[in-house]
């Protein structure tokens, strides 16, 4: 899907996604059908990408990739690695968004 993800398994589980809006929404829709007890979107941040005129799918992907704060990869953290995920988000300038997992970040 072209979505980057940082996932902390265990309880509480956390999924941080990054990519084109429609692709992230598709991932979330799919994940909500998994056998989870509960999957709640606690926060989101949308960034408008500047472009001049109509652009193709490849150009859109390039714009998204250039604007990424997180790696375009699937990064998995173990059940005891919440602090490592927090540090990844902090380093990417996403600490406030990460804190929304615990209902501590601004809306």
């Amino acid at each position: 899907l072209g979505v980057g993800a940082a996932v902390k398994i265990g309880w509480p589980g956390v999924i941080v996604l990054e990519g084109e809006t429609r692709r992230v929404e598709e991932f979330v829709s799919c994940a909500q059908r998994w056998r989870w007890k509960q999957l709640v979107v606690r926060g989101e941040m949308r960034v408008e990408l500047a472009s001049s005129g109509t652009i193709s799918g490849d150009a859109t992907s390039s714009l998204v990739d250039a604007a990424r704060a997180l790696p375009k990869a699937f990064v998995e953290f173990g059940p005891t690695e919440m602090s490592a995920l927090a540090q990844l988000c902090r380093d990417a300038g996403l600490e406030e968004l990460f804190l929304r997992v615990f209902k501590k970040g601004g809306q």
Side-chain angles (χ1 to χ4, degrees):
L1 288 174
V3 174
V7 178
K8 193 288 225 173
I9 61 174
W11 191 91
V14 178
I15 303 172
V16 179
L17 302 170
E18 183 175 51
E20 279 183 70
T21 300
R22 67 180 177 80
R23 292 182 176 192
V24 169
E25 289 171 349
E26 186 178 342
F27 185 99
V28 170
S29 178
C30 179
Q32 287 174 328
R33 293 190 296 269
W34 297 345
R35 294 178 182 220
W36 300 75
K37 271 189 157 182
Q38 182 180 23
L39 177 65
V40 177
V41 175
R42 290 269 173 93
E44 64 180 56
M45 181 174 74
R46 294 178 186 239
V47 177
E48 294 295 324
L49 302 178
S51 67
S52 54
T54 304
I55 55 176
S56 69
D58 289 341
T60 298
S61 293
S62 294
L63 282 172
V64 170
D65 289 346
R68 287 182 186 278
L70 300 169
K72 182 183 177 182
F74 185 93
V75 181
E76 184 175 309
F77 295 92
T80 62
E81 296 183 294
M82 185 69 82
S83 60
L85 175 58
Q87 188 62 51
L88 176 73
C89 291
R90 192 174 300 114
D91 291 346
L94 302 173
E95 183 174 26
E96 183 178 319
L97 186 63
F98 174 78
L99 290 174
R100 291 181 194 172
V101 168
F102 307 103
K103 299 181 182 177
K104 293 181 181 182
Q107 298 295 327

Short mmCIF file of all heavy atoms in Angstrom, two decimals, residues 32-79:
data_model
loop_
_atom_site.label_atom_id
_atom_site.label_comp_id
_atom_site.label_asym_id
_atom_site.label_seq_id
_atom_site.Cartn_x
_atom_site.Cartn_y
_atom_site.Cartn_z
N GLN A 32 -9.25 -2.82 11.02
CA GLN A 32 -10.44 -2.85 11.87
C GLN A 32 -11.22 -4.14 11.72
O GLN A 32 -12.02 -4.49 12.58
CB GLN A 32 -11.33 -1.64 11.60
CG GLN A 32 -10.73 -0.36 12.15
CD GLN A 32 -11.50 0.88 11.78
OE1 GLN A 32 -12.10 0.97 10.71
NE2 GLN A 32 -11.46 1.87 12.67
N ARG A 33 -10.96 -4.89 10.67
CA ARG A 33 -11.61 -6.19 10.48
C ARG A 33 -10.81 -7.33 11.10
O ARG A 33 -11.26 -8.46 11.13
CB ARG A 33 -11.83 -6.44 8.99
CG ARG A 33 -12.84 -5.49 8.37
CD ARG A 33 -13.23 -5.90 6.96
NE ARG A 33 -12.12 -5.85 6.03
CZ ARG A 33 -11.79 -4.80 5.28
NH1 ARG A 33 -12.49 -3.70 5.36
NH2 ARG A 33 -10.77 -4.85 4.45
N TRP A 34 -9.61 -7.04 11.60
CA TRP A 34 -8.81 -8.07 12.28
C TRP A 34 -9.47 -8.41 13.60
O TRP A 34 -10.31 -7.69 14.10
CB TRP A 34 -7.39 -7.58 12.52
CG TRP A 34 -6.59 -7.29 11.28
CD1 TRP A 34 -6.89 -7.68 10.00
CD2 TRP A 34 -5.40 -6.52 11.19
NE1 TRP A 34 -5.94 -7.21 9.13
CE2 TRP A 34 -5.01 -6.50 9.83
CE3 TRP A 34 -4.61 -5.87 12.12
CZ2 TRP A 34 -3.88 -5.84 9.39
CZ3 TRP A 34 -3.48 -5.21 11.69
CH2 TRP A 34 -3.12 -5.21 10.34
N ARG A 35 -9.06 -9.49 14.20
CA ARG A 35 -9.67 -9.95 15.44
C ARG A 35 -9.05 -9.27 16.66
O ARG A 35 -8.45 -9.90 17.51
CB ARG A 35 -9.54 -11.47 15.55
CG ARG A 35 -10.34 -12.16 14.50
CD ARG A 35 -10.16 -13.64 14.61
NE ARG A 35 -10.92 -14.27 13.54
CZ ARG A 35 -11.59 -15.37 13.69
NH1 ARG A 35 -11.60 -16.00 14.82
NH2 ARG A 35 -12.25 -15.87 12.67
N TRP A 36 -9.21 -7.98 16.72
CA TRP A 36 -8.73 -7.20 17.84
C TRP A 36 -9.88 -7.03 18.81
O TRP A 36 -11.04 -7.02 18.42
CB TRP A 36 -8.30 -5.81 17.39
CG TRP A 36 -7.21 -5.75 16.40
CD1 TRP A 36 -7.31 -6.03 15.07
CD2 TRP A 36 -5.86 -5.37 16.62
NE1 TRP A 36 -6.10 -5.85 14.46
CE2 TRP A 36 -5.19 -5.44 15.39
CE3 TRP A 36 -5.15 -4.98 17.75
CZ2 TRP A 36 -3.85 -5.14 15.26
CZ3 TRP A 36 -3.81 -4.66 17.60
CH2 TRP A 36 -3.17 -4.75 16.37
N LYS A 37 -9.57 -6.83 20.07
CA LYS A 37 -10.62 -6.47 21.00
C LYS A 37 -11.13 -5.08 20.67
O LYS A 37 -12.31 -4.81 20.70
CB LYS A 37 -10.09 -6.46 22.44
CG LYS A 37 -10.20 -7.76 23.13
CD LYS A 37 -9.86 -7.57 24.59
CE LYS A 37 -10.48 -8.67 25.39
NZ LYS A 37 -10.22 -8.51 26.81
N GLN A 38 -10.20 -4.19 20.36
CA GLN A 38 -10.58 -2.81 20.08
C GLN A 38 -9.49 -2.16 19.24
O GLN A 38 -8.31 -2.34 19.49
CB GLN A 38 -10.73 -2.05 21.40
CG GLN A 38 -11.15 -0.63 21.25
CD GLN A 38 -11.29 0.06 22.61
OE1 GLN A 38 -10.69 -0.36 23.59
NE2 GLN A 38 -12.08 1.10 22.66
N LEU A 39 -9.90 -1.41 18.24
CA LEU A 39 -8.97 -0.62 17.44
C LEU A 39 -9.58 0.77 17.29
O LEU A 39 -10.65 0.93 16.72
CB LEU A 39 -8.75 -1.24 16.06
CG LEU A 39 -7.84 -0.45 15.12
CD1 LEU A 39 -6.42 -0.39 15.67
CD2 LEU A 39 -7.83 -1.07 13.74
N VAL A 40 -8.90 1.75 17.86
CA VAL A 40 -9.41 3.11 17.88
C VAL A 40 -8.35 4.04 17.31
O VAL A 40 -7.18 3.95 17.67
CB VAL A 40 -9.73 3.55 19.34
CG1 VAL A 40 -10.18 5.00 19.38
CG2 VAL A 40 -10.76 2.64 19.95
N VAL A 41 -8.76 4.92 16.41
CA VAL A 41 -7.86 5.95 15.92
C VAL A 41 -7.90 7.06 16.96
O VAL A 41 -8.92 7.69 17.18
CB VAL A 41 -8.30 6.47 14.53
CG1 VAL A 41 -7.41 7.64 14.11
CG2 VAL A 41 -8.27 5.36 13.51
N ARG A 42 -6.76 7.29 17.61
CA ARG A 42 -6.69 8.28 18.68
C ARG A 42 -6.21 9.63 18.20
O ARG A 42 -6.38 10.63 18.87
CB ARG A 42 -5.76 7.79 19.79
CG ARG A 42 -6.31 6.62 20.57
CD ARG A 42 -7.09 7.13 21.79
NE ARG A 42 -7.77 6.06 22.47
CZ ARG A 42 -7.28 5.38 23.48
NH1 ARG A 42 -6.08 5.64 23.93
NH2 ARG A 42 -7.98 4.42 24.04
N GLY A 43 -5.55 9.66 17.07
CA GLY A 43 -5.05 10.93 16.58
C GLY A 43 -4.62 10.81 15.13
O GLY A 43 -4.31 9.72 14.66
N GLU A 44 -4.67 11.89 14.45
CA GLU A 44 -4.17 11.91 13.08
C GLU A 44 -3.66 13.30 12.76
O GLU A 44 -4.05 14.28 13.39
CB GLU A 44 -5.24 11.48 12.07
CG GLU A 44 -6.44 12.37 11.98
CD GLU A 44 -7.44 11.85 10.96
OE1 GLU A 44 -7.89 10.70 11.08
OE2 GLU A 44 -7.77 12.62 10.05
N MET A 45 -2.76 13.34 11.81
CA MET A 45 -2.21 14.60 11.35
C MET A 45 -2.18 14.53 9.83
O MET A 45 -1.65 13.58 9.27
CB MET A 45 -0.78 14.77 11.90
CG MET A 45 -0.13 16.06 11.49
SD MET A 45 1.47 16.31 12.30
CE MET A 45 2.48 15.15 11.42
N ARG A 46 -2.77 15.50 9.20
CA ARG A 46 -2.78 15.56 7.73
C ARG A 46 -1.91 16.72 7.28
O ARG A 46 -1.97 17.80 7.84
CB ARG A 46 -4.20 15.70 7.21
CG ARG A 46 -5.03 14.48 7.50
CD ARG A 46 -6.45 14.63 7.03
NE ARG A 46 -7.22 13.49 7.47
CZ ARG A 46 -7.87 12.67 6.65
NH1 ARG A 46 -7.85 12.87 5.36
NH2 ARG A 46 -8.54 11.64 7.14
N VAL A 47 -1.13 16.46 6.26
CA VAL A 47 -0.24 17.47 5.71
C VAL A 47 -0.61 17.65 4.24
O VAL A 47 -0.64 16.68 3.48
CB VAL A 47 1.24 17.03 5.83
CG1 VAL A 47 2.15 18.05 5.18
CG2 VAL A 47 1.61 16.80 7.28
N GLU A 48 -0.91 18.87 3.86
CA GLU A 48 -1.19 19.17 2.46
C GLU A 48 0.13 19.32 1.72
O GLU A 48 1.01 20.07 2.15
CB GLU A 48 -2.02 20.45 2.33
CG GLU A 48 -3.41 20.34 2.92
CD GLU A 48 -4.29 19.35 2.18
OE1 GLU A 48 -4.18 19.24 0.94
OE2 GLU A 48 -5.08 18.66 2.85
N LEU A 49 0.26 18.61 0.62
CA LEU A 49 1.48 18.69 -0.17
C LEU A 49 1.26 19.63 -1.34
O LEU A 49 0.27 19.51 -2.06
CB LEU A 49 1.87 17.30 -0.68
CG LEU A 49 2.09 16.25 0.40
CD1 LEU A 49 2.43 14.91 -0.22
CD2 LEU A 49 3.19 16.69 1.36
N ALA A 50 2.16 20.55 -1.52
CA ALA A 50 2.06 21.52 -2.60
C ALA A 50 2.44 20.85 -3.93
O ALA A 50 3.40 20.11 -4.01
CB ALA A 50 2.98 22.71 -2.35
N SER A 51 1.64 21.09 -4.95
CA SER A 51 1.96 20.61 -6.29
C SER A 51 1.46 21.63 -7.29
O SER A 51 0.58 22.42 -7.00
CB SER A 51 1.31 19.25 -6.55
OG SER A 51 -0.10 19.39 -6.60
N SER A 52 2.03 21.60 -8.45
CA SER A 52 1.59 22.54 -9.49
C SER A 52 0.78 21.77 -10.52
O SER A 52 1.32 21.04 -11.34
CB SER A 52 2.80 23.21 -10.14
OG SER A 52 3.71 22.24 -10.61
N GLY A 53 -0.52 21.87 -10.41
CA GLY A 53 -1.40 21.22 -11.37
C GLY A 53 -1.65 19.75 -11.05
O GLY A 53 -1.38 19.28 -9.97
N THR A 54 -2.17 19.04 -12.03
CA THR A 54 -2.48 17.62 -11.88
C THR A 54 -1.20 16.81 -11.96
O THR A 54 -0.36 17.04 -12.82
CB THR A 54 -3.44 17.18 -13.01
OG1 THR A 54 -4.60 18.03 -12.97
CG2 THR A 54 -3.85 15.74 -12.84
N ILE A 55 -1.08 15.84 -11.05
CA ILE A 55 0.11 15.00 -11.06
C ILE A 55 -0.28 13.54 -11.11
O ILE A 55 -1.38 13.15 -10.72
CB ILE A 55 1.00 15.27 -9.82
CG1 ILE A 55 0.21 15.10 -8.53
CG2 ILE A 55 1.60 16.65 -9.88
CD1 ILE A 55 1.03 15.25 -7.28
N SER A 56 0.62 12.71 -11.60
CA SER A 56 0.35 11.28 -11.74
C SER A 56 0.56 10.58 -10.40
O SER A 56 1.09 11.15 -9.45
CB SER A 56 1.30 10.68 -12.78
OG SER A 56 2.62 10.67 -12.28
N GLY A 57 0.18 9.31 -10.35
CA GLY A 57 0.34 8.51 -9.14
C GLY A 57 1.78 8.42 -8.69
O GLY A 57 2.07 8.50 -7.51
N ASP A 58 2.72 8.23 -9.64
CA ASP A 58 4.13 8.14 -9.27
C ASP A 58 4.63 9.45 -8.69
O ASP A 58 5.40 9.45 -7.72
CB ASP A 58 4.98 7.77 -10.50
CG ASP A 58 4.77 6.32 -10.93
OD1 ASP A 58 4.27 5.53 -10.12
OD2 ASP A 58 5.11 6.00 -12.08
N ALA A 59 4.19 10.57 -9.25
CA ALA A 59 4.62 11.87 -8.74
C ALA A 59 4.03 12.10 -7.35
O ALA A 59 4.71 12.66 -6.48
CB ALA A 59 4.20 12.99 -9.69
N THR A 60 2.79 11.66 -7.13
CA THR A 60 2.18 11.79 -5.81
C THR A 60 2.98 10.99 -4.79
O THR A 60 3.29 11.47 -3.70
CB THR A 60 0.72 11.30 -5.83
OG1 THR A 60 -0.03 12.11 -6.72
CG2 THR A 60 0.09 11.36 -4.45
N SER A 61 3.35 9.77 -5.14
CA SER A 61 4.14 8.93 -4.24
C SER A 61 5.47 9.59 -3.92
O SER A 61 5.94 9.54 -2.78
CB SER A 61 4.38 7.55 -4.85
OG SER A 61 3.17 6.85 -4.93
N SER A 62 6.09 10.23 -4.91
CA SER A 62 7.36 10.91 -4.68
C SER A 62 7.19 12.08 -3.72
O SER A 62 8.04 12.31 -2.86
CB SER A 62 7.94 11.41 -6.00
OG SER A 62 8.29 10.32 -6.82
N LEU A 63 6.10 12.85 -3.88
CA LEU A 63 5.83 13.96 -2.97
C LEU A 63 5.62 13.45 -1.55
O LEU A 63 6.14 14.02 -0.59
CB LEU A 63 4.59 14.74 -3.41
CG LEU A 63 4.75 15.71 -4.57
CD1 LEU A 63 3.39 16.24 -5.01
CD2 LEU A 63 5.67 16.85 -4.19
N VAL A 64 4.85 12.38 -1.41
CA VAL A 64 4.59 11.79 -0.09
C VAL A 64 5.89 11.30 0.52
O VAL A 64 6.18 11.56 1.69
CB VAL A 64 3.55 10.65 -0.18
CG1 VAL A 64 3.47 9.88 1.13
CG2 VAL A 64 2.19 11.20 -0.57
N ASP A 65 6.69 10.59 -0.26
CA ASP A 65 7.96 10.06 0.26
C ASP A 65 8.88 11.18 0.73
O ASP A 65 9.54 11.06 1.75
CB ASP A 65 8.66 9.21 -0.79
CG ASP A 65 7.96 7.87 -1.03
OD1 ASP A 65 7.09 7.50 -0.21
OD2 ASP A 65 8.27 7.22 -2.04
N ALA A 66 8.91 12.29 -0.01
CA ALA A 66 9.77 13.43 0.35
C ALA A 66 9.31 14.10 1.65
O ALA A 66 10.11 14.68 2.36
CB ALA A 66 9.81 14.44 -0.78
N ALA A 67 8.02 14.00 1.95
CA ALA A 67 7.46 14.66 3.13
C ALA A 67 7.42 13.76 4.37
O ALA A 67 7.04 14.21 5.44
CB ALA A 67 6.05 15.16 2.82
N ARG A 68 7.82 12.52 4.23
CA ARG A 68 7.73 11.57 5.35
C ARG A 68 8.55 12.01 6.55
O ARG A 68 9.67 12.48 6.42
CB ARG A 68 8.20 10.18 4.92
CG ARG A 68 7.22 9.47 4.03
CD ARG A 68 7.73 8.07 3.69
NE ARG A 68 6.85 7.45 2.73
CZ ARG A 68 5.72 6.83 3.05
NH1 ARG A 68 5.37 6.71 4.31
NH2 ARG A 68 4.96 6.30 2.11
N ALA A 69 7.98 11.82 7.73
CA ALA A 69 8.70 12.04 8.98
C ALA A 69 9.31 10.73 9.48
O ALA A 69 10.33 10.73 10.15
CB ALA A 69 7.75 12.61 10.03
N LEU A 70 8.67 9.62 9.14
CA LEU A 70 9.09 8.29 9.57
C LEU A 70 9.65 7.50 8.40
O LEU A 70 9.38 7.84 7.24
CB LEU A 70 7.90 7.54 10.18
CG LEU A 70 7.25 8.18 11.40
CD1 LEU A 70 5.94 7.49 11.73
CD2 LEU A 70 8.19 8.13 12.58
N PRO A 71 10.37 6.43 8.66
CA PRO A 71 10.87 5.60 7.55
C PRO A 71 9.71 4.98 6.76
O PRO A 71 8.68 4.66 7.33
CB PRO A 71 11.66 4.50 8.26
CG PRO A 71 11.89 4.97 9.64
CD PRO A 71 10.78 5.93 9.97
N LYS A 72 9.91 4.83 5.46
CA LYS A 72 8.90 4.16 4.63
C LYS A 72 9.19 2.66 4.75
O LYS A 72 9.84 2.06 3.91
CB LYS A 72 8.99 4.59 3.17
CG LYS A 72 7.93 3.95 2.30
CD LYS A 72 8.08 4.34 0.85
CE LYS A 72 7.03 3.63 0.00
NZ LYS A 72 7.18 3.97 -1.41
N ALA A 73 8.74 2.11 5.84
CA ALA A 73 9.03 0.72 6.16
C ALA A 73 8.02 0.25 7.19
O ALA A 73 7.21 1.03 7.69
CB ALA A 73 10.45 0.59 6.71
N PHE A 74 8.09 -1.01 7.52
CA PHE A 74 7.32 -1.59 8.60
C PHE A 74 8.30 -1.85 9.73
O PHE A 74 9.19 -2.69 9.60
CB PHE A 74 6.65 -2.89 8.14
CG PHE A 74 5.74 -3.49 9.17
CD1 PHE A 74 4.39 -3.19 9.15
CD2 PHE A 74 6.23 -4.34 10.15
CE1 PHE A 74 3.54 -3.75 10.10
CE2 PHE A 74 5.39 -4.89 11.10
CZ PHE A 74 4.04 -4.59 11.08
N VAL A 75 8.19 -1.08 10.80
CA VAL A 75 9.10 -1.20 11.94
C VAL A 75 8.30 -1.78 13.10
O VAL A 75 7.26 -1.24 13.47
CB VAL A 75 9.69 0.17 12.33
CG1 VAL A 75 10.65 0.04 13.49
CG2 VAL A 75 10.35 0.84 11.14
N GLU A 76 8.78 -2.89 13.66
CA GLU A 76 8.07 -3.54 14.75
C GLU A 76 8.84 -3.40 16.05
O GLU A 76 10.05 -3.62 16.10
CB GLU A 76 7.86 -5.02 14.44
CG GLU A 76 7.04 -5.74 15.49
CD GLU A 76 6.76 -7.18 15.11
OE1 GLU A 76 6.29 -7.42 13.99
OE2 GLU A 76 7.03 -8.05 15.95
N PHE A 77 8.11 -3.05 17.10
CA PHE A 77 8.67 -2.95 18.45
C PHE A 77 7.99 -4.01 19.30
O PHE A 77 6.79 -4.26 19.19
CB PHE A 77 8.41 -1.55 19.04
CG PHE A 77 9.12 -0.46 18.30
CD1 PHE A 77 8.49 0.22 17.27
CD2 PHE A 77 10.42 -0.12 18.63
CE1 PHE A 77 9.14 1.22 16.57
CE2 PHE A 77 11.09 0.89 17.94
CZ PHE A 77 10.44 1.55 16.90
N GLY A 78 8.77 -4.65 20.17
CA GLY A 78 8.25 -5.70 21.04
C GLY A 78 7.38 -5.16 22.16
O GLY A 78 7.27 -3.95 22.37
N PRO A 79 6.79 -6.07 22.94
CA PRO A 79 5.87 -5.69 24.01
C PRO A 79 6.47 -4.76 25.06
O PRO A 79 5.74 -4.02 25.71
CB PRO A 79 5.49 -7.03 24.65
CG PRO A 79 5.77 -8.05 23.61
CD PRO A 79 6.91 -7.52 22.80
#
